Amino acid sequence: MTTTNAASVLLIYTGGTIGMQEDCNGALKPFDFDSLLQNVPELGKFAGRIDHHTFEPLIDSSDIEPSIWVNLAEIIREKYDEYDGFVILHGTDTMAYSASALSFMLENLGKPVIFTGSQLPIGRPRTDGRENLISSVEIASAKKPDGRARVPEVCICFDSHLLRGNRCIKSDAGTFNAFSSPNYPSLAEAGISIVYNDLLVRRTENAPFAINTSLDTRVSILKLHPGITPQVVRDIMLGSDTRAVIIETYGSGNAMSKEWFNAIIRQSAAMGKILVNVTQCAAGFVDMAIYANGRGLGQAGVISGHDMTTEAALGKLFFLMGQTDDNELVKRQLELDMRGELTL
Protein backbone atom coordinates (compact mmCIF):
# COMPACT_ATOMS: atom_id res chain seq x y z
CA MET A 1 0.00 0.00 0.00
CA THR A 2 1.28 3.43 -0.89
CA THR A 3 1.70 6.19 1.66
CA THR A 4 -0.56 9.21 1.97
CA ASN A 5 1.93 11.48 0.19
CA ALA A 6 2.33 9.05 -2.69
CA ALA A 7 -1.26 7.96 -3.18
CA SER A 8 -2.14 6.31 -6.48
CA VAL A 9 -5.39 7.05 -8.29
CA LEU A 10 -6.91 5.50 -11.38
CA LEU A 11 -9.05 7.81 -13.54
CA ILE A 12 -11.67 5.90 -15.51
CA TYR A 13 -13.19 7.94 -18.32
CA THR A 14 -16.46 6.51 -19.60
CA GLY A 15 -17.48 9.57 -21.58
CA GLY A 16 -19.39 12.75 -20.85
CA THR A 17 -18.87 16.47 -20.95
CA ILE A 18 -15.94 16.67 -18.54
CA GLY A 19 -13.55 14.87 -20.85
CA MET A 20 -14.19 17.08 -23.86
CA GLN A 21 -12.16 20.07 -25.00
CA GLU A 22 -12.32 22.40 -27.98
CA ASP A 23 -9.87 22.08 -30.84
CA CYS A 24 -8.60 25.04 -32.86
CA ASN A 25 -11.80 24.98 -34.92
CA GLY A 26 -14.07 25.10 -31.87
CA ALA A 27 -15.17 21.48 -32.21
CA LEU A 28 -15.35 19.29 -29.12
CA LYS A 29 -13.11 16.24 -28.95
CA PRO A 30 -12.05 13.88 -26.14
CA PHE A 31 -9.44 15.21 -23.74
CA ASP A 32 -5.88 13.90 -24.11
CA PHE A 33 -5.35 12.29 -20.71
CA ASP A 34 -1.65 11.82 -21.37
CA SER A 35 -1.31 15.59 -20.93
CA LEU A 36 -3.68 15.81 -17.98
CA LEU A 37 -1.06 16.69 -15.38
CA GLN A 38 0.27 19.43 -17.62
CA ASN A 39 -3.18 20.98 -17.88
CA VAL A 40 -4.20 20.40 -14.25
CA PRO A 41 -0.89 20.37 -12.35
CA GLU A 42 -2.70 20.65 -8.99
CA LEU A 43 -3.56 16.96 -9.22
CA GLY A 44 0.04 16.06 -8.49
CA LYS A 45 -0.25 17.62 -5.03
CA PHE A 46 -2.67 14.93 -3.94
CA ALA A 47 -1.58 11.82 -5.79
CA GLY A 48 1.92 10.71 -6.63
CA ARG A 49 0.65 8.49 -9.40
CA ILE A 50 -2.34 9.13 -11.62
CA ASP A 51 -3.12 6.66 -14.37
CA HIS A 52 -6.12 6.53 -16.66
CA HIS A 53 -8.34 4.06 -18.44
CA THR A 54 -10.52 5.33 -21.27
CA PHE A 55 -13.54 3.46 -22.60
CA GLU A 56 -13.45 2.71 -26.31
CA PRO A 57 -15.77 3.86 -27.68
CA LEU A 58 -16.76 6.60 -25.27
CA ILE A 59 -20.26 6.23 -23.84
CA ASP A 60 -22.78 9.05 -23.89
CA SER A 61 -24.47 9.29 -20.51
CA SER A 62 -27.87 8.57 -22.07
CA ASP A 63 -26.53 5.27 -23.44
CA ILE A 64 -25.33 3.91 -20.09
CA GLU A 65 -26.63 0.40 -19.43
CA PRO A 66 -25.87 -2.40 -16.95
CA SER A 67 -23.12 -3.90 -19.13
CA ILE A 68 -21.15 -0.69 -18.56
CA TRP A 69 -21.55 -1.09 -14.79
CA VAL A 70 -20.23 -4.65 -15.07
CA ASN A 71 -17.25 -3.35 -17.04
CA LEU A 72 -16.55 -0.70 -14.39
CA ALA A 73 -16.77 -3.25 -11.59
CA GLU A 74 -14.39 -5.59 -13.39
CA ILE A 75 -11.86 -2.79 -13.98
CA ILE A 76 -11.95 -1.85 -10.28
CA ARG A 77 -11.53 -5.49 -9.24
CA GLU A 78 -8.61 -5.95 -11.61
CA LYS A 79 -6.87 -2.78 -10.39
CA TYR A 80 -8.06 -2.83 -6.77
CA ASP A 81 -4.75 -3.75 -5.16
CA GLU A 82 -2.80 -1.40 -7.40
CA TYR A 83 -4.50 1.90 -6.51
CA ASP A 84 -5.59 3.75 -3.39
CA GLY A 85 -8.70 5.22 -5.02
CA PHE A 86 -10.70 5.43 -8.21
CA VAL A 87 -12.26 8.43 -9.95
CA ILE A 88 -14.88 7.71 -12.60
CA LEU A 89 -15.50 10.49 -15.11
CA HIS A 90 -19.09 10.08 -16.25
CA GLY A 91 -21.86 12.02 -17.95
CA THR A 92 -24.25 13.65 -15.51
CA ASP A 93 -27.59 12.44 -16.86
CA THR A 94 -27.27 8.88 -15.56
CA MET A 95 -24.51 9.35 -12.99
CA ALA A 96 -26.85 8.79 -10.03
CA TYR A 97 -28.01 5.49 -11.56
CA SER A 98 -24.43 4.32 -12.09
CA ALA A 99 -23.27 5.35 -8.61
CA SER A 100 -26.26 3.61 -7.03
CA ALA A 101 -25.71 0.41 -8.97
CA LEU A 102 -21.96 0.30 -8.26
CA SER A 103 -22.60 0.77 -4.55
CA PHE A 104 -24.35 -2.62 -4.51
CA MET A 105 -22.07 -4.35 -7.00
CA LEU A 106 -18.88 -3.57 -5.02
CA GLU A 107 -18.80 -5.76 -1.92
CA ASN A 108 -16.70 -4.91 1.18
CA LEU A 109 -15.37 -1.77 -0.47
CA GLY A 110 -12.42 -0.34 1.42
CA LYS A 111 -11.36 2.37 -1.03
CA PRO A 112 -12.99 5.47 -2.52
CA VAL A 113 -14.82 5.18 -5.83
CA ILE A 114 -15.69 8.75 -6.75
CA PHE A 115 -17.96 9.65 -9.67
CA THR A 116 -17.62 13.13 -11.09
CA GLY A 117 -18.24 15.07 -14.26
CA SER A 118 -19.12 18.58 -15.31
CA GLN A 119 -21.77 20.75 -16.85
CA LEU A 120 -19.21 22.42 -19.15
CA PRO A 121 -16.24 20.81 -21.00
CA ILE A 122 -13.00 20.99 -19.06
CA GLY A 123 -11.43 23.14 -21.76
CA ARG A 124 -13.98 25.95 -21.38
CA PRO A 125 -12.88 29.04 -19.40
CA ARG A 126 -15.79 28.79 -16.92
CA THR A 127 -15.78 25.02 -16.64
CA ASP A 128 -16.78 23.36 -13.40
CA GLY A 129 -14.90 20.25 -14.48
CA ARG A 130 -11.52 21.44 -13.22
CA GLU A 131 -12.59 21.90 -9.61
CA ASN A 132 -14.73 18.75 -9.65
CA LEU A 133 -11.75 16.72 -10.87
CA ILE A 134 -9.28 18.23 -8.41
CA SER A 135 -11.60 17.66 -5.44
CA SER A 136 -12.36 14.11 -6.56
CA VAL A 137 -8.68 13.17 -6.84
CA GLU A 138 -7.92 14.74 -3.46
CA ILE A 139 -10.76 12.79 -1.81
CA ALA A 140 -9.79 9.55 -3.60
CA SER A 141 -6.26 10.02 -2.21
CA ALA A 142 -7.22 10.98 1.35
CA LYS A 143 -6.40 8.63 4.21
CA LYS A 144 -6.90 8.55 7.93
CA PRO A 145 -3.84 8.54 10.22
CA ASP A 146 -4.00 4.74 10.43
CA GLY A 147 -3.67 4.50 6.64
CA ARG A 148 -7.25 3.56 5.90
CA ALA A 149 -9.17 5.41 3.21
CA ARG A 150 -10.96 8.50 4.48
CA VAL A 151 -14.13 7.77 2.47
CA PRO A 152 -14.34 4.09 1.43
CA GLU A 153 -17.62 4.51 -0.39
CA VAL A 154 -19.09 4.95 -3.85
CA CYS A 155 -19.74 8.70 -3.99
CA ILE A 156 -20.55 11.57 -6.30
CA CYS A 157 -18.34 14.64 -6.01
CA PHE A 158 -19.90 17.69 -7.64
CA ASP A 159 -19.87 21.44 -7.03
CA SER A 160 -17.92 21.19 -3.75
CA HIS A 161 -20.18 18.50 -2.28
CA LEU A 162 -19.28 14.85 -1.66
CA LEU A 163 -22.49 12.84 -1.62
CA ARG A 164 -23.18 9.15 -1.01
CA GLY A 165 -23.78 7.74 -4.47
CA ASN A 166 -26.96 5.80 -3.70
CA ARG A 167 -28.54 8.85 -2.04
CA CYS A 168 -28.14 11.16 -5.03
CA ILE A 169 -30.48 12.50 -7.63
CA LYS A 170 -29.71 14.82 -10.52
CA SER A 171 -31.79 17.80 -9.51
CA ASP A 172 -30.61 20.66 -11.73
CA ALA A 173 -29.76 20.63 -15.44
CA GLY A 174 -28.96 24.33 -15.66
CA THR A 175 -26.46 25.14 -12.89
CA PHE A 176 -23.19 23.74 -11.59
CA ASN A 177 -25.01 22.39 -8.52
CA ALA A 178 -26.39 19.48 -10.51
CA PHE A 179 -26.78 16.86 -7.76
CA SER A 180 -28.49 16.76 -4.40
CA SER A 181 -28.90 14.25 -1.60
CA PRO A 182 -32.25 15.21 -0.05
CA ASN A 183 -32.38 12.50 2.61
CA TYR A 184 -28.75 12.25 3.71
CA PRO A 185 -26.14 14.92 4.53
CA SER A 186 -22.96 15.53 2.56
CA LEU A 187 -20.02 13.31 3.46
CA ALA A 188 -17.64 16.21 2.84
CA GLU A 189 -17.61 19.85 1.74
CA ALA A 190 -14.81 21.32 -0.34
CA GLY A 191 -13.99 24.93 0.50
CA ILE A 192 -10.62 26.39 1.39
CA SER A 193 -9.96 22.87 2.59
CA ILE A 194 -12.05 19.71 2.46
CA VAL A 195 -14.06 19.21 5.64
CA TYR A 196 -15.05 15.58 6.16
CA ASN A 197 -18.11 14.46 8.10
CA ASP A 198 -16.38 11.31 9.32
CA LEU A 199 -19.27 10.12 11.49
CA LEU A 200 -21.49 9.88 8.41
CA VAL A 201 -19.07 7.76 6.37
CA ARG A 202 -20.01 4.12 6.08
CA ARG A 203 -17.31 1.50 6.72
CA THR A 204 -17.53 -2.20 6.01
CA GLU A 205 -16.13 -5.10 7.95
CA ASN A 206 -12.56 -6.09 7.26
CA ALA A 207 -13.46 -8.66 4.63
CA PRO A 208 -12.06 -9.38 1.16
CA PHE A 209 -13.21 -7.09 -1.61
CA ALA A 210 -15.44 -8.74 -4.22
CA ILE A 211 -17.74 -7.72 -7.04
CA ASN A 212 -21.26 -8.84 -7.91
CA THR A 213 -21.87 -8.73 -11.64
CA SER A 214 -24.95 -10.94 -11.95
CA LEU A 215 -27.77 -8.45 -12.53
CA ASP A 216 -31.42 -9.14 -13.29
CA THR A 217 -32.85 -6.08 -15.03
CA ARG A 218 -36.49 -7.17 -15.31
CA VAL A 219 -37.71 -4.08 -13.48
CA SER A 220 -40.32 -1.55 -14.61
CA ILE A 221 -41.15 1.86 -13.15
CA LEU A 222 -44.74 3.08 -12.82
CA LYS A 223 -45.05 6.80 -12.12
CA LEU A 224 -48.54 7.64 -10.94
CA HIS A 225 -50.22 10.75 -12.29
CA PRO A 226 -53.74 12.15 -12.45
CA GLY A 227 -55.57 10.66 -15.42
CA ILE A 228 -53.45 7.52 -15.68
CA THR A 229 -55.42 4.84 -17.49
CA PRO A 230 -56.11 1.24 -16.48
CA GLN A 231 -54.42 -0.01 -19.64
CA VAL A 232 -51.15 1.80 -18.85
CA VAL A 233 -51.12 0.47 -15.29
CA ARG A 234 -52.05 -3.03 -16.46
CA ASP A 235 -49.31 -3.11 -19.12
CA ILE A 236 -46.64 -2.20 -16.57
CA MET A 237 -47.87 -4.11 -13.53
CA LEU A 238 -48.80 -7.36 -15.27
CA GLY A 239 -46.13 -7.57 -17.97
CA SER A 240 -44.84 -11.10 -18.45
CA ASP A 241 -41.24 -9.89 -18.72
CA THR A 242 -41.43 -7.84 -15.51
CA ARG A 243 -40.27 -9.40 -12.26
CA ALA A 244 -40.42 -6.24 -10.14
CA VAL A 245 -42.13 -2.85 -10.34
CA ILE A 246 -41.07 0.37 -8.65
CA ILE A 247 -44.23 2.40 -8.04
CA GLU A 248 -43.56 6.13 -7.76
CA THR A 249 -46.42 7.29 -5.56
CA TYR A 250 -47.62 10.62 -4.22
CA GLY A 251 -46.33 12.20 -1.00
CA SER A 252 -45.68 9.67 1.75
CA GLY A 253 -46.66 6.70 -0.37
CA ASN A 254 -50.22 7.36 -1.48
CA ALA A 255 -52.05 6.19 -4.60
CA MET A 256 -55.55 6.57 -6.00
CA SER A 257 -58.32 4.62 -4.29
CA LYS A 258 -60.08 3.49 -7.48
CA GLU A 259 -61.03 -0.16 -7.40
CA TRP A 260 -59.63 -0.89 -10.86
CA PHE A 261 -56.19 0.30 -9.69
CA ASN A 262 -56.24 -1.72 -6.46
CA ALA A 263 -57.44 -4.78 -8.35
CA ILE A 264 -54.45 -4.57 -10.71
CA ILE A 265 -52.07 -4.14 -7.75
CA ARG A 266 -53.55 -7.21 -6.05
CA GLN A 267 -53.34 -9.22 -9.27
CA SER A 268 -49.71 -8.24 -9.77
CA ALA A 269 -48.85 -9.21 -6.20
CA ALA A 270 -50.70 -12.51 -6.60
CA MET A 271 -48.47 -13.24 -9.59
CA GLY A 272 -45.51 -13.07 -7.19
CA LYS A 273 -44.07 -9.83 -8.54
CA ILE A 274 -41.92 -7.65 -6.30
CA LEU A 275 -43.68 -4.30 -5.80
CA VAL A 276 -41.79 -1.40 -4.19
CA ASN A 277 -43.29 1.94 -3.17
CA VAL A 278 -41.07 5.04 -3.46
CA THR A 279 -42.20 8.65 -3.23
CA GLN A 280 -42.15 11.02 -6.17
CA CYS A 281 -40.97 13.75 -3.78
CA ALA A 282 -37.27 14.58 -3.78
CA ALA A 283 -37.14 14.50 0.03
CA GLY A 284 -39.07 12.52 2.61
CA PHE A 285 -40.02 8.89 2.97
CA VAL A 286 -42.78 6.36 2.38
CA ASP A 287 -45.07 5.55 5.29
CA MET A 288 -48.01 3.56 4.02
CA ALA A 289 -49.64 3.51 7.49
CA ILE A 290 -50.55 7.21 7.51
CA TYR A 291 -53.42 7.31 5.01
CA ALA A 292 -56.02 4.76 3.96
CA ASN A 293 -54.88 4.81 0.33
CA GLY A 294 -51.35 3.96 1.39
CA ARG A 295 -52.52 1.24 3.75
CA GLY A 296 -54.35 -0.36 0.84
CA LEU A 297 -51.08 -0.70 -1.05
CA GLY A 298 -49.42 -2.34 1.93
CA GLN A 299 -52.31 -4.74 2.40
CA ALA A 300 -52.07 -5.69 -1.27
CA GLY A 301 -48.42 -6.71 -0.85
CA VAL A 302 -46.51 -3.57 -1.83
CA ILE A 303 -43.21 -3.09 0.05
CA SER A 304 -42.12 0.26 1.45
CA GLY A 305 -39.05 1.77 -0.19
CA HIS A 306 -38.65 4.03 2.86
CA ASP A 307 -36.53 7.00 1.75
CA MET A 308 -34.73 5.32 -1.15
CA THR A 309 -34.40 7.21 -4.40
CA THR A 310 -35.76 5.61 -7.53
CA GLU A 311 -32.15 5.25 -8.72
CA ALA A 312 -31.16 3.38 -5.56
CA ALA A 313 -34.24 1.16 -5.66
CA LEU A 314 -33.49 0.23 -9.27
CA GLY A 315 -29.84 -0.61 -8.59
CA LYS A 316 -30.75 -2.57 -5.47
CA LEU A 317 -33.38 -4.61 -7.30
CA PHE A 318 -31.00 -5.37 -10.18
CA PHE A 319 -28.43 -6.57 -7.64
CA LEU A 320 -30.72 -8.58 -5.36
CA MET A 321 -32.63 -10.22 -8.19
CA GLY A 322 -29.34 -11.17 -9.79
CA GLN A 323 -28.40 -13.13 -6.66
CA THR A 324 -31.52 -15.25 -6.27
CA ASP A 325 -34.72 -16.41 -7.97
CA ASP A 326 -36.55 -16.29 -4.63
CA ASN A 327 -38.79 -13.21 -4.81
CA GLU A 328 -39.80 -13.51 -1.15
CA LEU A 329 -36.15 -13.33 -0.13
CA VAL A 330 -35.66 -10.28 -2.35
CA LYS A 331 -38.65 -8.60 -0.69
CA ARG A 332 -37.19 -9.14 2.76
CA GLN A 333 -33.76 -7.87 1.74
CA LEU A 334 -35.21 -4.78 0.06
CA GLU A 335 -36.23 -3.39 3.41
CA LEU A 336 -32.74 -3.87 4.88
CA ASP A 337 -30.17 -1.08 4.78
CA MET A 338 -27.38 -2.73 2.82
CA ARG A 339 -25.16 0.15 1.61
CA GLY A 340 -26.49 3.17 3.48
CA GLU A 341 -29.19 3.63 0.85
CA LEU A 342 -32.11 3.98 3.25
CA THR A 343 -32.91 5.17 6.75
CA LEU A 344 -34.56 2.73 9.17
Side-chain angles (χ1 to χ4, degrees):
M1 179 64 66
T2 55
T3 66
T4 301
N5 293 330
S8 55
V9 173
L10 179 64
L11 298 179
I12 304 173
Y13 179 41
T14 65
T17 301
I18 189 172
M20 308 301 288
Q21 65 179 13
E22 291 183 350
D23 62 18
C24 58
N25 297 316
L28 291 176
K29 64 178 184 179
F31 193 87
D32 177 11
F33 281 91
D34 290 329
S35 62
L36 182 62
L37 286 176
Q38 298 176 13
N39 287 273
V40 192
E42 296 90 339
L43 296 178
K45 298 179 181 179
F46 308 115
R49 174 188 173 195
I50 300 176
D51 296 328
H52 65 86
H53 177 96
T54 300
F55 273 50
E56 293 289 350
L58 296 175
I59 311 298
D60 185 277
S61 181
S62 299
D63 288 325
I64 290 293
E65 56 187 31
S67 62
I68 305 300
W69 302 337
V70 171
N71 197 345
L72 284 169
E74 289 175 341
I75 292 169
I76 292 170
R77 178 181 60 183
E78 179 184 349
K79 302 294 185 179
Y80 191 77
D81 293 333
E82 193 174 341
Y83 295 93
D84 296 296
F86 302 85
V87 174
I88 300 175
L89 307 180
H90 191 292
T92 60
D93 287 346
T94 54
M95 188 184 294
Y97 287 97
S98 293
S100 293
L102 263 290
S103 75
F104 296 106
M105 295 172 68
L106 305 181
E107 193 87 32
N108 301 317
L109 183 63
K111 299 180 179 183
V113 175
I114 312 299
F115 280 81
T116 196
S118 65
Q119 298 286 64
L120 288 175
I122 201 166
R124 293 278 179 87
R126 296 182 56 251
T127 183
D128 55 329
R130 184 181 179 88
E131 292 303 319
N132 288 345
L133 179 58
I134 291 171
S135 295
S136 296
V137 170
E138 180 174 0
I139 292 166
S141 304
K143 298 181 186 177
K144 298 173 74 68
D146 62 5
R148 293 182 300 164
R150 192 74 182 261
V151 187
E153 291 200 37
V154 177
C155 300
I156 289 178
C157 182
F158 221 92
D159 194 40
S160 302
H161 302 284
L162 182 71
L163 308 174
R164 177 169 292 159
N166 57 34
R167 291 283 191 158
C168 285
I169 59 173
K170 184 176 182 181
S171 54
D172 196 329
T175 73
F176 290 151
N177 188 22
F179 291 90
S180 61
S181 176
N183 289 320
Y184 200 78
S186 299
L187 301 182
E189 301 283 344
I192 295 174
S193 61
I194 296 181
V195 178
Y196 294 91
N197 299 317
D198 290 314
L199 295 179
L200 300 177
V201 175
R202 184 179 180 275
R203 295 187 176 276
T204 59
E205 298 295 329
N206 187 22
F209 172 72
I211 64 172
N212 304 287
T213 56
S214 179
L215 303 176
D216 186 341
T217 63
R218 291 176 292 166
V219 181
S220 295
I221 299 174
L222 173 67
K223 183 168 185 173
L224 300 185
H225 61 82
I228 195 168
T229 66
Q231 188 59 53
V232 168
V233 175
R234 190 176 294 112
D235 287 346
I236 295 175
M237 298 298 302
L238 306 180
S240 59
D241 292 331
T242 298
R243 184 177 170 192
V245 180
I246 298 169
I247 308 172
E248 291 191 353
T249 56
Y250 306 127
S252 57
N254 294 315
M256 68 277 286
S257 59
K258 294 179 180 179
E259 177 53 31
W260 66 259
F261 177 79
N262 290 318
I264 294 173
I265 296 294
R266 290 193 297 269
Q267 183 179 353
S268 181
M271 294 169 67
K273 295 183 186 295
I274 304 161
L275 310 179
V276 187
N277 186 347
V278 302
T279 175
Q280 295 179 15
C281 299
F285 58 92
V286 167
D287 185 348
M288 292 187 289
I290 297 178
Y291 300 105
N293 289 10
R295 287 197 295 272
L297 292 177
Q299 291 166 359
V302 179
I303 299 167
S304 173
H306 300 278
D307 59 350
M308 277 194 295
T309 64
T310 297
E311 293 88 339
L314 188 73
K316 190 173 185 178
L317 279 166
F318 283 3
F319 161 68
L320 290 175
M321 288 165 40
Q323 310 308 304
T324 179
D325 294 326
D326 186 342
N327 283 5
E328 293 304 314
L329 176 59
V330 172
K331 292 176 186 179
R332 293 194 296 271
Q333 292 177 321
L334 272 171
E335 294 202 78
L336 301 177
D337 179 23
M338 302 182 69
R339 303 286 196 273
E341 73 281 1
L342 59 82
T343 306
L344 294 177

